[in-house]
Structures are given as C-alpha cells and as structure tokens.
Amino acid sequence: MSLIRISQVLAFGLLLLMVQTPNAEAEESYSTFPIEPEFLDHSSIWGHATGLGISDDGKYGALVYTYGWVRYFDADTGWLWHHNTSAFWPQLAMSSDGQSVVVAGTGPANSSSLYFFTKDGLEWSDDFNSEDEGGFSHVDISADGEYIVAGNTDSNLYLFNTDGEVIRHFNITVEYGQHYVDYSEMHWFHSVSISSNGDYITAAYAGHLYLFHKESDEPIWKWTAPGGVFEGLSLVPSHTSQVDISADGDKIIAAVKYYPDSEFVCDDGRIIEASDVGNGYDDCEDGSDEDSENIENFNYGYGQFWAPTVGYIYMFGNEDNIPIWSYKQEPNLYDEEGNRESYPKDSSFGAAVISADGRYSAALYGDYGSGKHMHIFDNWGDGTILSSFTATPNGNMSSSQWDDYRLDISATGKYILVASPYSGEVLLYDRDDTAAFTHHTGVLWNFHNSTYGLENGCNCHNVAMSSDGTHIMFGAGYTGGIDYYGNIYASDTTVFLFNNPRGANIAGEGSTSDTTDTTTSDDETTTGYSVPGPSVVMATFAVLAVASLRRRT
C-alpha cells in the first residue's frame, strides 16, 4: 500500500473516531433562564439568589431568592414550577439526582420554616420552633436525598427524614469561659454539612465545631476554635466560618477566622487583658507583658483592635477532635515598598470545600488589596499545598474579607469553581493545569458580565457545579432595589447553566457565542448558546486533509 493510501486511511479513521466516540473536549454551550419580575422583590437592594443546587448530571436545577420564591427547572424544557415560601433569607440544598430539594429559612412569625420539594413541586412544609425563636440559618441534604440537617439561630440542630419527621435533635452546648462571654449575636450556625449517606453530620456553631452520627444526639466530638474576640460592632469569638465533609464522612475540613487574642497569658500563668500588653506597666508582675519579644509576637505587635484577623484551615477525621493537619495563612504586614502597615491586611478564609472522595480540598481568602487567593491541598499526609493562585484574571474579584465567598469542587477534586458576588466574575480552574495558577493566565474558563451581555454585573451570590465538573449553574444579578439616593432600579436577573465551559473570556472582548436554539415551555423562554470547540477545528482539518489527499491521487 502506498504512503498516500495509508495517509488516506488514517485521515478517514481520525474522522470516523471523532464522529462515533465521545469527545473529551466537547463544545461549550450554555442556557439562560430569565427570572420574571413577578417573582422578585424590588423593594430591597439585597434581593438575590440566596441558595441554589444542580443535579449531578446537570439536568435539573433549583434556586431560592431572598424573600422566599423557589424555582425549579429542567435544562431541556425550562422552568417546571415555582413556589413562594415567604421565608426570609432562605437556604437551599439538592440531592444528587435533583429529585429532592429542601429549603430552610425564617418564617413570617420568626420561626424555623422548612420546605421539602420533589421534581413535581411542594411535598410538605412545617415550622419546627415556636414564634420568636429564630429561623434556620443553614441546611444540607444527603446525596441520596434521604436525610436533611438544619440548624437555627437558637442553637437547635435537627436531623429530618424526607417525611418531615425529626429523627434527631442534637445536643448543642456553648461553653462560656476564657474567650466566651454571653455572645448573644453569635447564636447561629455558620455552616452545616452531611455525608452522602447521612451517617455523619458536622456543624459550626458560635465558636465550636461539632461532629455527630445520626444514631446519637450526643456529639462524637466537639472542638473549640482558638483565638480571641472581635469587638467591633458586636462581640464575636474566633469561629469556624465554613465546614465541609467528604462523601463517606471520613474527612472534615474547617475554615477558621482567628481573631486577635483578647487576653495575654503571663509567664506565671496569670491572665491579663490584651490592652495591658506593652502599656509600660508590669501588669503580670513578672515582666513578661513588657518583654520586647513578647510585645512584638503578641498579636503581631499590633493592639487588639488593629491586629489582623488570621485564617486557619483544619483537617479532622471522624474519630476524635485532634486535627490531622492544619495550615495558617500569615497576614501581609508590609506594603509594596516593604514598610510595615499601620493597618495590616487580614488573611481569614471565607470558604473551604473538600472533594467527595476526601483526597483534595480548597480554601479561599481575601486580603483587602490584591484580590482573593486560593490554596489547593492534598489531604493525604500533612496537607501539602499543591497549587495557589490569585483569583483576579480581570482584576475584578473583590478582596474584602466581608464580601461573600463562593467555592465549589468536583467529586475527584479536579475542578474548582470560584465566585465573588460583587466582582462580575466566575472562575473555573483545573487542579492539574499548572499553568492556570499564575496571575492573569491559564484560567480554564471564566464568566465575565460584559462577555455574556450583562450590563450591571454578575452579582453571583451562589454558584454550583455538577460532581464531574462539566455543568456550572449560578443566578446572576440583583432582583432590583433602591439605591442610596432613593432611585428605584432593576438589574439583570438570569440563571445561567453552562455545559462543559472552556476558554478564558477577558473583559471587554465581547461574546464569542452564537444563538443556536430557542425552546419554550409553559410560556417561559429558555435560550441555548454554543461556542465552537477544538473538536470542530479537528474535524474540519480531517475533512480538508482527506479532500487534499484525494486530489493528489
């Protein structure tokens, strides 16, 4: 057989292979699901999606807005149903198959309200607290959809089944002592998480972290976050800001905000106020509070009110409360010229997630200046940092620690999704792409409001990713509101669902997408878009190669 004939056969084989086998580099496509005005509350500037979920296959999605509206869609047909819960600041969780959705929040009578939905709509709802005892602040559902965990603002943590029956009312106790006085404003759950089969439940409440098994009201273990007290607008102790658990419940990751120490331990064991350190008086009566080295090291040499908030990451197992490993993010105390900052930048982590297999974890923090930063950890061993990057490819990612942090990770930890509500961007990274972890380069994919036609920014307060990382969902835009000058306005309010998103979209370059399909379901419009991918280019090349070889023969 001649060389030309062999080339022809190979070219035909390449073309046939691309046509008949799935392509790992599938084309990017996305759909939009507009939110109609009647489902939104335009009386407040805070109207946005407070919770959302996506099924593992990306077919189903649900979201809930600030003032209680819940909506559920099928990616192929559009919105399926909606329901007004009237709950304020509700949270949402979805089972892996998308067939079960739970919404929890504060009811009209300031009670703890819980709503359970299926693909067909509301199944049941109930209030699990008397009036004025506070609403649910966090909720989660097991991957199999059989168990629900919810914590309210009055220290109640419940485990429910899908019939709404309380299986467990877990014992939550807050100890007040060296770092804890009566922190009435801290009586809420910062985060709750449940393992895939519902066996293990972890919850962060006030300054404590708990791990429970579904067979007992008493915790397997309890852990108290180290550190002091934030004494700004309210008294807030150091605490776990977010917790996540692996699918089998074997690994728990906790992001901790470590506030400056409010007390100093003298060499002889006596405890004095932090403000007494370095004040020129021997308050310890042993000289340790006036020792120059102690003054420099205590709260980084700053007074309690100006010392930075420090971020810690802790990894736990499910047997005891002794951390397997921990990581401390040192704050940046110096400016670009190397001078010590008068007001140092904080380094507290606002989000932390763990892959379903427990192998990898990721954590995100902001430092008031250079954007948000993320570390990816290898959970096997001592928590080695595999990669770190600054999540500001377009320079828009907010760096404030008070900004919301949004982070998600695929089941194997290969893909990591990052978002910031006030930045206008959503970023997707590949853990194995070392080129991605440098500033301004290598982003696997990013959403920017100008690229996809949003005029008023993304404002993506919640994002979700399917377990394999091929589908991404988020609600973009405020529901509208009144600005500081009393002007009523509305902004883009749209749910975006991306399939296999790839390609960095730099701000101002404009969209490379073309409308390819529009379908209507129940008088509601869903628009689909596609972006040519590498497979199209390869197929075109193969066809041209075959045609060229045929002409040569």
Side-chain angles (χ1 to χ4, degrees):
M1 183 180 292
S2 67
L3 180 60
I4 294 178
R5 179 62 60 186
I6 293 174
S7 299
Q8 288 179 313
V9 172
L10 290 175
F12 274 116
L14 175 62
L15 180 60
L16 186 62
L17 182 65
M18 288 188 293
V19 170
Q20 294 187 347
T21 60
N23 193 339
E25 297 181 342
E27 300 173 14
E28 174 190 314
S29 62
Y30 71 95
S31 300
T32 58
F33 301 85
I35 306 293
E36 296 83 351
E38 59 264 32
F39 297 107
L40 308 174
D41 189 310
H42 294 286
S43 63
S44 171
I45 194 173
W46 300 111
H48 58 258
T50 55
L52 55 81
I54 186 173
S55 61
D56 279 354
D57 60 5
K59 181 174 175 57
Y60 302 108
L63 77 161
V64 62
Y65 269 78
T66 311
Y67 297 95
W69 276 106
V70 184
R71 304 207 67 186
Y72 184 97
F73 68 82
D74 182 317
D76 297 326
T77 60
W79 297 116
L80 296 183
W81 53 259
H82 57 265
H83 182 85
N84 185 9
T85 66
S86 298
F88 177 70
W89 214 269
Q91 304 297 308
L92 180 148
M94 175 182 274
S95 61
S96 293
D97 60 7
Q99 302 298 305
S100 300
V101 176
V102 61
V103 172
T106 302
N110 200 31
S111 58
S112 297
S113 300
L114 195 67
Y115 302 81
F116 183 77
F117 303 87
T118 67
K119 178 185 173 184
D120 299 319
L122 180 67
E123 283 287 304
W124 54 261
S125 65
D126 208 342
D127 289 335
F128 293 90
N129 264 71
S130 60
E131 294 183 8
D132 298 324
E133 290 192 6
F136 286 120
S137 57
H138 283 279
V139 68
D140 198 11
I141 190 170
S142 58
D144 58 13
E146 295 297 319
Y147 298 96
I148 299 163
V149 60
N152 73 1
T153 55
D154 196 47
S155 73
N156 293 296
L157 182 67
Y158 299 99
L159 183 67
F160 305 93
N161 61 22
T162 53
D163 293 324
E165 299 171 335
V166 177
I167 300 175
R168 294 289 169 198
H169 186 181
F170 295 113
N171 184 16
I172 299 293
T173 58
V174 178
E175 299 173 359
Y176 302 109
Q178 178 179 349
H179 295 306
Y180 299 91
V181 290
D182 185 14
Y183 297 115
S184 58
E185 297 191 32
M186 278 297 292
H187 288 184
W188 68 79
F189 288 89
H190 291 276
S191 181
V192 299
S193 185
I194 189 169
S195 61
S196 291
N197 61 4
D199 281 351
Y200 293 94
I201 299 95
T202 183
Y205 179 80
H208 305 288
L209 179 64
Y210 297 83
L211 180 68
F212 294 92
H213 192 277
K214 68 180 181 183
E215 300 300 329
S216 175
D217 294 342
E218 298 299 320
I220 299 174
W221 53 255
K222 183 175 74 171
W223 179 81
T224 301
V229 177
F230 171 71
E231 299 187 14
L233 300 178
S234 60
L235 296 176
V236 180
S238 297
H239 61 274
T240 299
S241 57
Q242 189 168 0
V243 64
D244 198 15
I245 194 168
S246 61
D248 60 4
D250 187 55
K251 293 286 191 303
I252 300 98
I253 188 172
V256 171
K257 285 191 174 183
Y258 186 107
Y259 290 114
D261 287 312
S262 54
E263 297 171 332
F264 177 81
V265 180
C266 307
D267 287 350
D268 64 3
R270 182 181 305 183
I271 297 175
I272 65 172
E273 296 294 324
S275 57
D276 292 333
V277 177
N279 64 359
Y281 298 95
D282 185 9
D283 297 279
C284 282
E285 298 183 2
D286 63 8
S288 57
D289 60 313
E290 299 302 315
D291 178 79
S292 59
E293 185 175 351
N294 287 342
I295 294 174
E296 182 178 353
N297 293 331
F298 183 67
N299 287 339
Y300 294 92
Y302 293 89
Q304 180 190 356
F305 299 107
W306 304 117
T309 301
V310 181
Y312 281 82
I313 295 296
Y314 290 90
M315 181 63 62
F316 298 92
N318 59 18
E319 295 182 354
D320 56 50
N321 66 351
I322 300 174
I324 299 173
W325 57 262
S326 63
Y327 172 78
K328 177 183 180 182
Q329 179 61 50
E330 292 288 349
N332 184 4
L333 306 179
Y334 300 91
D335 60 23
E336 295 179 354
E337 298 178 355
N339 301 314
R340 189 174 173 87
E341 295 272 15
S342 299
Y343 309 105
K345 298 179 175 64
D346 295 328
S347 65
S348 56
F349 289 98
V353 291
I354 190 170
S355 58
D357 61 9
R359 175 64 190 274
Y360 301 99
S361 55
L364 188 68
Y365 75 96
D367 69 358
Y368 276 123
S370 59
K372 282 186 169 60
H373 310 273
M374 186 177 73
H375 300 309
I376 299 176
F377 301 92
D378 186 341
N379 296 336
W380 290 5
D382 59 358
T384 301
I385 293 180
L386 299 177
S387 301
S388 300
F389 69 90
T390 299
T392 55
N394 284 318
N396 296 315
M397 193 68 80
S398 169
S399 61
S400 170
Q401 68 153 321
W402 303 111
D403 183 17
D404 287 338
Y405 293 72
R406 294 295 177 255
L407 193 61
D408 204 356
I409 192 169
S410 62
T412 62
K414 180 173 176 59
Y415 299 108
I416 300 95
L417 187 65
V418 180
S420 172
Y422 307 111
S423 68
E425 275 191 300
V426 180
L427 311 175
L428 179 66
Y429 285 87
D430 183 336
R431 182 198 68 227
D432 300 323
D433 184 2
T434 56
F437 301 103
T438 55
H439 190 43
H440 291 285
T441 62
V443 182
L444 181 62
W445 172 85
N446 76 301
F447 173 95
H448 191 273
N449 52 286
S450 65
T451 303
Y452 291 93
L454 292 181
E455 296 180 358
N456 297 313
C458 174
N459 299 312
C460 304
H461 283 260
N462 275 280
V463 295
M465 179 167 55
S466 61
S467 61
D468 62 1
T470 59
H471 299 87
I472 290 174
M473 171 190 171
F474 52 86
Y478 285 125
T479 61
I482 303 174
D483 64 19
Y484 296 105
Y485 301 99
N487 300 312
I488 299 176
Y489 70 93
S491 68
D492 306 286
T493 309
T494 303
V495 174
F496 281 83
L497 179 64
F498 283 84
N499 178 28
N500 203 61
R502 297 294 182 267
N505 301 291
I506 305 303
E509 289 189 353
S511 174
T512 58
S513 304
D514 296 318
T515 302
T516 59
D517 180 58
T518 300
T519 58
T520 302
S521 174
D522 297 332
D523 299 324
E524 296 169 352
T525 301
T526 301
T527 305
Y529 303 88
S530 65
V531 179
S535 59
V536 176
V537 179
M538 292 179 63
T540 303
F541 173 78
V543 171
L544 293 175
V546 171
S548 176
L549 289 173
R550 292 188 64 180
R551 285 197 300 269
R552 292 181 62 182
T553 58

